[in-house]
Structures are given as C-alpha cells and as structure tokens.
Amino acid sequence: MISLLKRRETLLLLIIVVMITGFSSRADGFASPTNLAGIFNDTSILIILALAQMTVILTKSIDLSVAANLAFTGMAIAMINAAYPGIPLVFLVLAAIAIGAALGAINGFFVWNLEMPPIVVTLGTLTIYRGMTFVLSGGAWVNAHQMTPTFLNVPRASILGLPVLGWIGIVIVALIYLMLRHSPIGRSIYAAGGNPTAAVYAGIDVGRTRFFAFVLSGALAGLCGYLWVSRYAVAYVDIANGFELDSVAACVIGGISIAGGVGSVVGAVLGSLFLGVIKNALPVIGISPFTQMAISGTVIIFAVVFNARREKNRGRIILRNRSVEEPSQEVLA
C-alpha cells in the first residue's frame, strides 16, 4: 500500500480527485457523471496528442510540430469533404492519418538521416506546416454548413453516455499501452531513450526507432486533425494554436522524463486530465484566462522540479548502493 502511494500516477490521481471535490464545492454539478464525462470528452484530443508526444519524448526527442500537423491535416480533410461530399468518411479518416504520418516522417527523416537536433527540426516544421495551412486555405475558413452531416456528427454520437470522440480516445490509449508494454518496438522506444549506447549494443537501431516514433506521433496528430475539425465544426489556420505546449505539459506533469526512457501511458493520460480539469473548472469559478495560464505554468515548473529531484535521488541511491557493495566484496575476497 505504501509503495502504491509513492507512485507518481497514484499521487496525481489523488490530486485530480481532490481538485474535482474542491471545484464541486464552488460549482454545483461539477462532479456529476455527466459533467465528468464531458470533461473527459473535451480532453480526449489532448490525451491523444499527449500520447503522440510521449512516444517521441521516450526516445529522447521532442515534437513541437504536433499542433501544426493537426492544423494542416484538419484543414486539408475539411476542404476535401467540402469539395467532394460523396467521399466516405472512413477514407477521409484514413487520409488524415496518412497525411499526418507523412508530415511526421519528414521530422523523422531529418532527425534520423541528417542527425539534426529534434527541437530544431520540429520548431522549423512547426512554422512550415502552419504556413502550408495558410497557403492551402488562402486564409479562408471552412465552416459547418460546408461540411457533410456525417463528417460532423459521427464523433458527437453518444454510446453508453459517452460521445464517440471519448471512445476513440479510450481505444487509442489502450493501443498505445499495448504497443509500449507488450511489443518489441515499445521496448525499443524505451531503450533508445533510456540508454542509447546500450541499445545499440543490444542490436536496436536507435535512429530507426526515433523515425518510427515521429511517424506514429504524426499519424496520431493527423487523426486529431479530423477529430478537432468535426468536434468544433470549423477549420481555420490557427487551429490548436499552442496545443504543442499543452501536449508537452501533460507529459511532464504525468511523469514522462524529458531526458527520455521514463514514463507511462497512465501518467500521460492523468497529466492530460489534470490540465483538462483545470481548463474546465477555472472559468466556472470565475478565474480569468491570464490567471489560468499562470496557474498552468506554475504547475508545469513544479512538475519539472519534482521529476528532476526524483531522477537525481535515484542516481544517488544507485551510487550509494554500489559504495556499500564494493567494501563487502573486498572483505569476501
């Protein structure tokens, strides 16, 4: 029981429960099942983006272009739907995933083949993809009346009290969990970030693993492009502006180490829900958007400090254990 309470995910879950309890005392019905389901549904896109970001961060990289990828893909799919309303929705969704994966592959190519720093590459492609979105649309919006009802209504349809968007988030969480925990590529992702040198000696192609992580991140961002446009029934150039930082924040709050190789799917989900609860609750209790930004930034800083101290303490324990073991081995000799 004590070891369970010491886990980062358990503490974060308890904090979220305390927050919901506190906010419900200020806003009637905040803790109702209907409202909580709505919060989860609203946070589903952030959860998927956080998982996309997590796969990259685990390999000791970062993807600052996920939101720009989402914007370009969402705009492209919305324009296709408006111009060719007869195309089945399943093909549009597959096209969104393929476009996102292609944009992610561009990031992976520069990081893998040209060995460029991921933060430099994705900072550049962030600007490029945003510019491509403007060029593609000419700065114009695609509004709800230009999209087909099926395109808009499928993610909003309710199943067992939860919209399809929320169920898609649950399915993605389950798939990423299974991939990272029970597949060779998942183990390679952790190894590539945890100890790249040891991973090479173990026969893992670190560059190829990072390339795959960027492609997967792009594919998930592309899926989010469709989900965002259909959820809010509009496509414009500044879609999800700043969401790349929210995805990184969710990962950091959830305990995913920026140094790579450390983190869990549960942590990324809880980090996203933490931000989702804050963003949904603070306006209800009358907190201004600027104060919300300050609170979110403060939480991120504390999370980074907590992660750094935890990793530093682990290192001290390892050194201390070795110093204790060496004299005992000398005595036995």
Side-chain angles (χ1 to χ4, degrees):
M1 182 65 181
I2 296 177
S3 61
L4 183 64
L5 291 175
K6 289 183 178 180
R7 293 186 59 181
R8 174 64 170 266
E9 292 84 357
T10 306
L11 292 175
L12 187 54
L13 178 59
L14 291 175
I15 292 172
I16 293 174
V17 171
V18 171
M19 286 172 50
I20 292 174
T21 304
F23 289 136
S24 62
S25 64
R26 296 283 303 275
D28 294 336
F30 186 83
S32 66
T34 302
N35 187 62
L36 294 180
I39 292 175
F40 180 82
N41 186 64
D42 291 341
T43 313
S44 294
I45 294 177
L46 177 57
I47 290 174
I48 298 173
L49 272 189
L51 293 175
Q53 189 71 253
M54 173 188 171
T55 58
V56 176
I57 291 178
L58 286 176
T59 64
K60 217 168 191 176
S61 303
I62 194 168
D63 188 355
L64 297 179
S65 67
V66 287
N69 185 331
L70 183 160
F72 177 81
T73 305
M75 177 62 75
I77 296 303
M79 292 179 67
I80 292 173
N81 179 249
Y84 305 99
I87 297 178
L89 179 61
V90 63
F91 290 107
L92 292 176
V93 174
L94 291 176
I97 295 173
I99 294 171
L103 297 181
I106 294 173
N107 292 331
F109 173 80
F110 285 112
V111 173
W112 177 26
N113 288 60
L114 302 184
E115 298 183 352
M116 295 176 63
I119 191 171
V120 175
V121 171
T122 56
L123 188 60
T125 54
L126 180 158
T127 307
I128 293 172
Y129 297 163
R130 285 287 179 186
M132 288 168 54
T133 306
F134 181 84
V135 171
L136 179 66
S137 64
W141 289 31
V142 180
N143 296 309
H145 68 273
Q146 299 172 268
M147 306 176 197
T148 62
T150 302
F151 184 89
L152 295 174
N153 294 335
V154 168
R156 303 179 184 186
S158 181
I159 300 177
L160 300 177
L162 183 66
V164 171
L165 173 58
W167 287 111
I168 292 175
I170 292 173
V171 170
I172 296 298
V173 169
L175 291 176
I176 298 298
Y177 175 83
L178 292 175
M179 184 200 74
L180 292 177
R181 290 294 300 271
H182 302 288
S183 72
I185 187 62
R187 291 187 287 271
S188 297
I189 287 174
Y190 276 101
N195 193 328
T197 303
V200 171
Y201 282 109
I204 296 173
D205 190 328
V206 174
R208 189 184 300 273
T209 301
R210 286 177 177 165
F211 177 81
F212 172 82
F214 276 106
V215 172
L216 178 59
S217 174
L220 292 176
L223 174 62
C224 288
Y226 162 68
L227 295 176
W228 183 289
V229 171
S230 62
R231 170 70 175 82
Y232 296 104
V234 65
Y236 54 97
V237 174
D238 289 330
I239 288 177
N241 191 23
F243 243 60
E244 59 275 341
L245 300 182
D246 286 345
S247 68
V248 174
C251 290
V252 171
I253 293 171
I256 288 86
S257 174
I258 296 297
V262 177
S264 68
V265 170
V266 175
V269 172
L270 290 176
S272 302
L273 290 175
F274 180 91
L275 292 177
V277 170
I278 287 180
K279 290 186 177 183
N280 278 271
L282 295 186
V284 174
I285 62 177
I287 303 297
S288 71
F290 300 103
T291 305
Q292 295 175 40
M293 294 172 61
I295 293 174
S296 298
T298 303
V299 170
I300 293 169
I301 292 174
F302 276 115
V304 171
V305 172
F306 182 84
N307 289 347
R309 289 184 62 85
R310 184 178 62 171
E311 292 169 12
K312 184 177 180 181
N313 290 337
R314 284 181 176 176
R316 287 177 177 175
I317 292 172
I318 292 172
L319 293 175
R320 185 166 63 248
N321 289 342
R322 287 181 178 176
S323 65
V324 172
E325 290 174 0
E326 288 175 358
S328 62
Q329 291 175 356
E330 292 177 359
V331 171
L332 291 175

